[in-house]
Amino acid sequence: MVNYILNHLKILESESIFVIREVAAQFERPVLLFSGGKDSIVMAHLAKKAFWPARIPFPLLHIDTGHNFEETILFRDQLVQELGVKLIVGSVQETIDKGRAIEEKGPEASRNVLQTTTLLDTIEEYRFDAALGGARRDEEKARAKERFFSHRDEFGQWDPKNQRPELWNLFNGKKRIGEHFRVFPLSNWTEMDIWQYIYMDRIPIPEIYYTHERDVFCRNGVWLAAAPFMQLKEGEKIERKRVRCRTIGDITCTGLTISKANNLEEIIAEIAATRITERGGRADDKRSEAAMEDRKKEGYF
């Protein structure tokens, strides 16, 4: 069984490295989207392997909402220094200050949706023609409609009905001026594959993926981290709980998991036993049945 898992992970690794190298070969100005979450960390690790002993030949791009977990930013800066790559940060706060986006108000307010404008502005500013993302097809049903090479028009929009065939892993990166591609080398990975690969290659991850004590409150069945910019509703109260992050994003929409998992072996066992999807705790996905697909059509990750 162990050999089967190792062989399976090596096949996935080989496929992803092939896709990453295809991006470097076909595009002039690629960039790797980096959130500080486990998928983007694995992406950076695979990119390092793809071009070793040379450095990764493209920068990392982080869209900073200003409402990030502190541990994520510290980990990001440390990783960038270790990899010796350029980090570009797109600021949602700057987008708001320029009047390009309007910040939501009230207890349900989140900057997660506002990332789309910042991302598209940053892609246009630096003239990136391909953006590598860590999305997987098992995350959410809208993700399953993506190809490895996902075409975006001159407005950065995605049309799920107008995607190119990829028979025999032949990727068509041809585009018109102003268009770009989102590329997803982890398309055939699952959440379990990610965790087993992190365990196999001993990849460092932020401490908030492990169980720790944090001030939290419960909203609509989801535990959210308490923060100065989080407004409580009537009846909600802050409690001290032992939790961990299963997925990392903007604090306002990242659900936390009550957990006792203190190491990778325990995380893998916990994921194997759960019946709740990874994004089941993401508050932003609960806004509507088609929340993710609507955002993706507008240019979201």
Side-chain angles (χ1 to χ4, degrees):
M1 183 65 177
V2 174
N3 287 336
Y4 170 79
I5 294 173
L6 291 175
N7 289 337
H8 172 67
L9 294 176
K10 286 297 183 182
I11 290 171
L12 290 174
E13 177 189 69
S14 178
E15 178 184 60
S16 297
I17 287 175
F18 169 71
V19 174
I20 292 170
R21 287 173 175 166
E22 275 292 303
V23 170
Q26 291 197 38
F27 298 97
E28 296 180 0
R29 300 179 68 87
V31 67
L32 192 154
L33 301 177
F34 188 82
S35 67
K38 63 184 182 305
D39 297 322
S40 61
I41 291 169
V42 168
M43 282 278 295
H45 181 76
L46 290 166
K48 178 182 177 181
K49 279 192 170 186
F51 303 106
W52 181 264
R55 291 184 179 180
I56 299 173
F58 38 75
L60 271 57
L61 170 59
H62 178 219
I63 302 301
D64 182 4
T65 66
H67 292 167
N68 300 287
F69 289 96
E70 182 180 356
E71 297 91 334
T72 305
I73 300 301
L74 292 173
F75 183 90
R76 178 202 70 184
D77 294 342
Q78 180 182 351
L79 181 63
V80 167
Q81 186 175 6
E82 291 175 356
L83 293 175
V85 297
K86 179 181 180 181
L87 172 67
I88 297 170
V89 178
S91 170
V92 171
Q93 183 62 57
E94 288 185 11
T95 302
I96 295 170
D97 293 342
K98 292 176 181 178
R100 294 275 296 143
I102 300 175
E103 186 159 21
E104 298 178 354
K105 305 295 182 182
E108 299 283 358
S110 173
R111 289 185 172 182
N112 199 50
V113 176
L114 305 187
Q115 292 182 87
T116 299
T117 301
T118 306
L119 173 62
L120 294 177
D121 286 351
T122 307
I123 288 175
E124 183 177 5
E125 177 184 354
Y126 289 90
R127 296 183 290 112
F128 293 128
D129 54 1
L132 294 112
R136 309 184 320 269
R137 287 180 180 143
D138 72 320
E139 282 183 84
E140 204 273 346
K141 56 187 179 183
R143 301 282 199 195
K145 299 179 181 180
E146 293 277 19
R147 301 285 197 268
F148 280 102
F149 277 32
S150 180
H151 174 263
R152 304 297 169 109
D153 64 21
E154 63 271 26
F155 301 106
Q157 296 177 329
W158 171 66
D159 181 0
K161 298 179 180 179
N162 187 29
Q163 295 298 305
R164 300 171 182 181
E166 295 178 340
L167 304 175
W168 308 290
N169 277 359
L170 296 175
F171 304 119
N172 181 357
K174 292 183 179 180
K175 56 181 177 51
R176 298 184 180 91
I177 294 175
E179 299 177 342
H180 72 276
F181 279 81
R182 305 288 171 83
V183 182
F184 303 106
L186 302 182
S187 288
N188 287 331
W189 296 57
T190 65
E191 182 187 10
M192 180 62 80
D193 293 330
I194 293 292
W195 283 117
Q196 290 178 333
Y197 186 74
I198 289 171
Y199 178 76
M200 180 183 77
D201 265 29
R202 300 181 180 180
I203 303 173
I205 56 175
E207 289 297 317
I208 53 176
Y209 274 119
Y210 302 110
T211 297
H212 59 285
E213 286 194 355
R214 185 178 291 271
D215 288 338
V216 298
F217 63 94
C218 188
R219 175 174 294 169
N220 300 325
V222 176
W223 290 100
L224 297 172
F229 45 81
M230 296 289 281
Q231 297 182 34
L232 298 183
K233 295 181 178 180
E234 185 178 352
E236 295 177 342
K237 62 179 181 178
I238 295 177
E239 305 176 51
R240 193 75 173 175
K241 294 283 186 179
R242 290 184 58 79
V243 298
R244 73 175 190 87
C245 288
R246 187 173 168 188
T247 178
I248 295 178
D250 187 284
I251 289 178
T252 59
C253 63
T254 299
L256 302 172
T257 301
I258 303 295
S259 173
K260 297 180 180 179
N262 293 308
N263 54 54
L264 289 173
E265 292 96 329
E266 291 176 352
I267 289 176
I268 290 171
E270 185 178 273
I271 296 301
T274 188
R275 292 298 176 266
I276 300 174
T277 63
E278 179 182 4
R279 296 187 67 95
R282 287 293 292 264
D284 54 327
D285 287 349
K286 298 179 182 295
R287 294 194 172 196
S288 75
E289 285 295 321
M292 172 64 79
E293 183 160 340
D294 291 341
R295 294 201 303 274
K296 284 178 66 62
K297 288 179 180 178
E298 295 170 359
Y300 187 72
F301 302 96

